[in-house]
């Protein structure tokens, strides 16, 4: 038996991907990635699918993975090149795949496999309905897999067990008050109450349905007036999505990947009854009694269309396809220019402005005494205030950028949380290798060194640090009134300066619904058989959602949408036996 390992490199979305191709007797036995800086939750799924196809077909001449095509096609091209350079010709060849047309008849169809979609689908399935989930990408999770697993547990049995007496201080009314305060009254009370009254039921339902385990969230953010944030022990939304999807399929639900919805159809009576979805090798026609639209936001679309210059950290697949395939459904929208802007981020790709979130790292660092400064070296904010204070302060600075100044002990914790929430060791090291010459700025050294590398006025920064040191000793912050429990003296002579820029992922506007998550048309009438959940419906959190609240909205809205969509099937007997009986009234092809 002859064994050989071929090394290859590819340019991924976030940097270089190193991988090895193991061969035994001129056959591919394994493909192993040794280095990458891609988003783990997406990469793990996409690479797993790609690897299986390569080994099954003994060829790198297979399809890239939808939604991760740049990364996976680069690996395929690099793999073919590496084999050719080593004069290795495989017996495999590109599989001949016949385009398949499929017809499905279900009770409830769900568009989107983020937590809003999976929650709605799981809830409808639990009520005895036949359910299918359609996902345009070749992997699960939507924007959820970038958000962490944090939710609030208000009113749940889970929170009662985790927080004990503290949970009794919480209530739906208190949660609504916190939402209203944080967004400065821009929320829609009906939807905020729907969220608050159903999040506990949703948490308890999905915990039992998918046999999940929750713990108190490692970080309880100041925006919440009581400790109520919970998360998976791994803190991973990838684990959450995977477990819920596995439970859904095990209990009889169906998930179809690479299924991009192109058209919605009404019957002759004018009711929505079917859809058509397209994939690389399949056309799927789905007849349903209820449809739940949970297809996420449109942040990538707006960023690429230059509707905002704020760096974007969300999935590039958040393109608002429903504005095309549902355009003739005459759905009413509101606040389509609302974005959830965070101040805790690194601009990891200055061109075209792609960012990554550091919220949990930043929160921990400020709790440990780190300070925020501008390029003049001056403090700009009470570092222990809610994130909206940071956002507004950074927006006023030159270049809309600020810097965290921290010591070694604080950096160690900051770095630990970076690795937990979407960064890799190689990626972080690559930022330091830039040595402050371009964004993202992460530099280490004595105070003068880090100031010069980051482009911060050293003399003013030294005065700021010296003054802050005296304030710490006095247990009093005369400049911003920071709580003394978060004021800690810098230790040692090694400092870290980390860039912080405004960034966004989530859109906060969207379609309008009833209090049962049924979509409304432009005349404010409910649309028969049509429901929605998640980011696609705006208003529950207003213009500024608190940490954990977008995930919480996906849980609560998905739970309600799944319940009402399932109930609707009990009274909806309209079906179409074939596509000829349905008149297409919506779709990108019918402008």
């Amino acid at each position: 038996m002859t064994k050989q390992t071929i090394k290859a490199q590819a340019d991924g979305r976030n940097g270089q991907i190193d991988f090895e191709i193991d061969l035994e007797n001129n056959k591919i036995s394994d493909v192993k990635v040794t280095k990458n800086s891609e988003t783990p939750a997406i990469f793990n799924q996409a690479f797993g699918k790609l690897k299986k196809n390569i080994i099954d077909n003994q060829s790198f001449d297979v399809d890239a993975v939808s939604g991760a095509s740049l990364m996976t096609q680069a690996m395929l091209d690099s793999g073919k090149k590496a084999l050719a350079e080593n004069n290795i010709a495989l017996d495999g060849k590109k599989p001949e795949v016949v385009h398949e047309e499929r017809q499905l008849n279900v009770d409830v169809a769900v568009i989107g496999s983020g937590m809003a979609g999976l929650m709605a689908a799981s809830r409808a399935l639990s009520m005895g309905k036949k359910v299918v989930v359609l996902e345009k990408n070749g992997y699960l999770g939507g924007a959820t897999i970038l958000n962490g697993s944090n939710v609030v547990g208000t009113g749940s049995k889970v929170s009662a067990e985790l927080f004990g007496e503290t949970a009794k201080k919480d209530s739906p009314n208190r949660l609504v008050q916190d939402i209203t305060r944080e967004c400065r009254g821009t929320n829609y009370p009906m939807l905020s109450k729907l969220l608050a009254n159903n999040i506990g039921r949703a948490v308890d339902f999905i915990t039992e349905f998918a046999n999940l385990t929750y713990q108190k969230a490692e970080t309880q953010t100041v925006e919440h007036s009581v400790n109520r944030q919970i998360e998976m022990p791994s803190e991973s939304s990838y684990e959450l999505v995977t477990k819920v999807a596995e439970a859904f399929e095990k209990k009889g639900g169906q998930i179809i990947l690479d299924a991009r919805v192109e058209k919605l159809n009404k019957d002759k009576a004018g009711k929505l009854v079917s859809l058509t979805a397209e994939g690389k090798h399949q056309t799927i026609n789905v007849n349903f009694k209820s449809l739940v639209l949970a297809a996420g936001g449109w942040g990538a679309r707006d960023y690429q269309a230059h509707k905002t210059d704020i760096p974007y950290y969300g999935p590039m697949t958040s393109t608002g396809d429903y504005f095309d395939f549902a355009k003739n459904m005459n759905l009413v929208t509101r606040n389509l220019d609302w974005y959830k802007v965070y101040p805790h981020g690194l601009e990891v790709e200055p061109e075209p402005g792609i960012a990554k979130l550091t919220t949990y790292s930043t929160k921990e660092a400020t709790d440990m005494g780190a300070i925020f400064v501008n390029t003049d070296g001056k403090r700009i904010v009470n570092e222990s205030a809610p994130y909206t204070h940071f956002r507004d302060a950074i927006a006023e600075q030159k270049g809309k950028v600020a810097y965290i100044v921290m010591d070694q002990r604080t950096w160690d914790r900051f770095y630990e949380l970076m690795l937990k929430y979407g960064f890799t060791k190689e990626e972080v090291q690559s930022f330091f290798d830039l040595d402050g010459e371009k964004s993202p700025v992460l530099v280490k050294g004595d105070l003068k060194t880090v100031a010069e590398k980051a482009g911060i006025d050293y003399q003013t920064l030294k005065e700021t640090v010296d003054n802050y040191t005296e304030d710490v000793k006095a247990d009093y912050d005369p400049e911003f009134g920071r709580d003394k429990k978060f004021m800690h003296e810098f230790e040692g002579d090694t400092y870290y300066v980390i860039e912080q820029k405004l960034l966004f992922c989530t859109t906060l506007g969207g379609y309008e619904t009833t209090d049962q998550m049924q979509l409304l048309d432009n005349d404010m009438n409910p649309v028969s058989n049509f429901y929605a959940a998640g980011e696609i419906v705006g208003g529950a959190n207003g213009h500024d959602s608190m940490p954990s609240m977008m995930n919480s909205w996906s849980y609560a809205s998905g739970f309600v949408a799944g319940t009402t969509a399932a109930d609707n099937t009990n009274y909806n007997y309209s079906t179409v036996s074939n596509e000829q009986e349905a008149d297409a009234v919506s779709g990108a092809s019918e402008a």
Side-chain angles (χ1 to χ4, degrees):
M1 178 181 290
T2 59
K3 293 185 178 181
Q4 190 175 3
T5 296
I6 305 298
K7 296 183 181 295
Q9 294 180 341
D11 291 326
R13 182 171 180 263
N14 296 338
Q16 182 175 297
I17 300 171
D18 294 348
F19 62 101
E20 297 177 349
I21 307 164
D22 289 345
L23 300 162
E24 292 184 10
N25 294 332
N26 213 45
K27 288 187 176 182
I28 301 172
S29 60
D30 200 3
V31 181
K32 296 177 292 191
V33 172
T34 56
K35 173 186 174 183
N36 85 91
S37 300
E38 304 303 301
T39 303
I42 296 176
F43 184 80
N44 292 343
Q45 293 187 73
F47 174 66
K49 187 173 183 178
L50 188 73
K51 173 180 173 178
K52 183 178 187 305
N53 287 343
I54 291 169
I55 294 175
D56 287 351
N57 293 284
Q58 287 297 299
S59 172
F60 279 84
D61 197 10
V62 297
D63 288 331
V65 178
S66 299
S69 54
L70 186 152
M71 171 185 71
T72 51
Q73 188 60 56
M75 294 186 71
L76 292 171
D77 293 342
S78 297
K80 283 189 280 189
K81 181 180 177 182
L83 292 176
E85 288 175 346
N86 286 272
N87 298 314
I88 295 172
L90 301 173
D91 295 333
K93 60 181 180 178
K94 186 173 183 177
E96 294 183 8
V97 182
V98 177
H99 192 91
E100 180 185 8
E101 184 149 348
R102 304 169 62 183
Q103 191 83 18
L104 296 177
N105 295 295
V106 300
D107 294 312
V108 178
V110 177
I111 303 174
S113 70
M115 266 310 293
L118 290 175
M119 176 69 79
S122 298
R123 176 59 174 164
L125 185 71
S126 75
M127 294 172 68
K129 306 306 175 184
K130 184 176 182 181
V131 186
V132 65
V133 174
L134 302 166
E135 169 57 56
K136 70 176 181 179
N137 295 319
Y139 54 86
L140 295 167
T144 299
I145 55 177
L146 301 181
N147 290 350
S149 61
N150 301 62
V151 295
V152 299
T154 303
S156 67
K157 296 176 183 176
V158 171
S159 275
E161 293 176 1
L162 291 175
F163 292 105
E165 289 299 312
T166 299
K168 295 179 182 178
K169 300 177 183 178
D170 198 9
S171 69
N173 285 340
R174 185 166 185 167
L175 179 56
V176 171
Q177 289 172 1
D178 287 353
I179 291 170
T180 305
R181 181 200 66 248
E182 187 63 24
C183 72
R184 297 166 187 169
T186 56
N187 57 312
Y188 291 82
M190 178 193 77
L191 294 181
S192 299
K193 291 176 182 177
L194 182 149
L195 190 166
N197 289 329
N198 287 281
I199 184 59
R201 297 171 63 201
V203 165
D204 287 339
F205 163 73
I206 206 65
T207 298
E208 181 178 353
F209 180 89
N211 193 27
L212 302 181
T213 300
Y214 284 96
Q215 65 181 21
K216 295 179 184 178
E218 191 168 1
T219 301
Q220 299 289 327
T221 58
V222 67
E223 288 82 1
H224 294 270
S225 64
V226 64
N227 288 352
R228 58 164 70 104
Q229 292 161 279
I230 61 176
E231 65 190 1
M232 305 288 286
S234 66
E235 302 171 3
S236 166
S237 51
Y238 173 60
E239 178 192 5
L240 170 68
V241 166
T242 300
K243 284 188 173 180
V244 173
E246 287 176 352
F248 174 72
E249 291 188 299
K250 184 177 180 180
K251 295 182 180 187
Q254 184 176 8
I255 297 174
I256 303 177
L257 302 178
D258 188 25
R260 184 188 185 97
V261 175
E262 299 284 353
K263 187 165 59 176
L264 304 182
N265 306 308
K266 289 182 179 180
D267 65 12
K268 293 177 180 178
K271 289 187 176 182
L272 181 64
V273 292
S274 69
L275 63 79
T276 301
E278 296 287 350
K280 287 183 182 135
H281 306 295
Q282 60 182 346
T283 298
I284 308 117
N285 299 299
V286 183
N287 300 322
F288 51 75
K289 296 178 182 178
S290 296
L291 176 64
V292 178
L293 186 58
W298 58 92
R301 185 197 70 160
D302 276 14
Y303 183 78
Q304 291 171 328
H306 305 291
K307 291 187 177 181
T308 175
D309 60 357
I310 301 171
Y312 177 69
Y313 75 93
M316 299 311 292
T317 53
S318 289
T319 51
D321 304 328
Y322 34 81
F323 291 131
D324 292 325
F325 69 71
K327 68 180 182 297
N328 289 335
M329 296 298 295
N330 298 315
L331 301 175
V332 63
T333 61
R334 63 183 169 205
N335 307 128
L336 297 186
D337 59 347
W338 279 11
Y339 311 112
K340 180 178 178 179
V341 179
Y342 268 112
H344 313 130
L346 302 179
E347 190 175 12
V348 297
E349 294 179 55
E351 296 294 335
I354 304 302
K356 277 194 171 185
L357 200 65
T358 65
T359 297
Y360 297 106
S361 296
T362 301
K363 171 65 169 60
E364 191 78 1
T366 54
D367 282 357
M368 295 174 69
I371 60 174
F372 259 62
V373 302
N374 58 18
T375 54
D376 295 330
K378 296 180 179 179
R379 283 177 68 202
I380 64 171
V381 72
N382 174 352
E383 293 85 356
S384 302
Y387 90 87
T388 51
H389 294 237
F390 287 84
R391 181 201 62 200
D392 294 345
I394 292 177
E396 294 173 356
Q397 307 308 314
K398 290 181 291 188
K400 295 182 179 179
V401 62
Y403 302 90
I404 316 176
V405 180
M406 65 184 82
D407 56 16
Q408 183 69 53
R409 70 181 182 87
T410 306
W411 163 255
D412 290 343
R413 180 62 175 152
F414 188 98
Y415 179 57
E416 179 185 354
L417 290 175
M418 287 182 79
L419 299 185
K420 283 187 177 182
Y421 290 102
F423 291 86
T424 66
K425 292 180 180 180
E426 294 80 9
E427 185 179 23
V428 176
Q429 184 57 52
S430 73
F431 300 156
F432 279 104
D433 292 343
L434 295 173
D435 212 25
E437 293 183 4
K438 65 176 183 177
S439 193
V441 173
L442 284 82
V443 293
K444 170 188 177 183
D446 59 41
L447 194 62
K448 184 176 183 180
T449 298
V450 294
E452 291 175 348
K453 287 184 176 182
I456 299 172
D457 182 274
Y458 167 62
Q459 289 299 330
T460 305
L461 179 62
K462 185 176 185 304
E463 291 176 13
T464 296
V465 171
D466 289 344
N467 289 338
Y468 180 70
T469 300
E470 293 303 313
D471 295 341
V472 171
K473 292 177 181 177
D475 284 338
Y476 176 63
D477 176 15
E479 191 169 11
F480 292 106
R482 188 179 190 181
D483 192 320
K484 65 181 183 181
K485 70 182 179 182
F486 298 121
M487 297 172 65
H488 304 282
E489 191 171 349
F490 291 115
E491 297 179 3
D493 298 321
T494 299
Y495 293 86
Y496 288 77
V497 167
I498 311 299
E499 164 193 299
Q500 294 282 267
K501 286 189 174 182
L502 301 180
L503 73 171
F504 86 101
C505 163
T506 307
T507 44
L508 292 171
Y511 289 128
E512 293 207 44
T513 69
T514 68
D515 61 0
Q516 297 297 307
M517 300 310 296
Q518 187 169 7
L519 284 158
L520 298 172
D521 64 21
N522 282 309
D523 295 320
M524 304 306 288
N525 295 316
V527 179
S528 296
N529 307 334
F530 207 3
Y531 304 85
E535 189 179 350
I536 200 170
V537 179
N541 286 296
H543 193 262
D544 294 295
S545 69
M546 297 186 294
S548 302
M549 292 310 297
M550 290 310 297
N551 279 349
S552 300
W553 174 238
S554 72
Y555 273 52
S557 62
F559 181 81
V560 173
T563 302
T564 53
D567 282 342
N568 180 66
T569 67
N570 297 329
Y571 307 100
N572 182 357
Y573 302 105
S574 175
T575 60
V576 287
S577 58
N578 57 64
E579 194 170 0
Q580 284 69 40
E581 294 180 12
D583 297 319
V585 296
S586 175
S589 62
E590 300 177 35

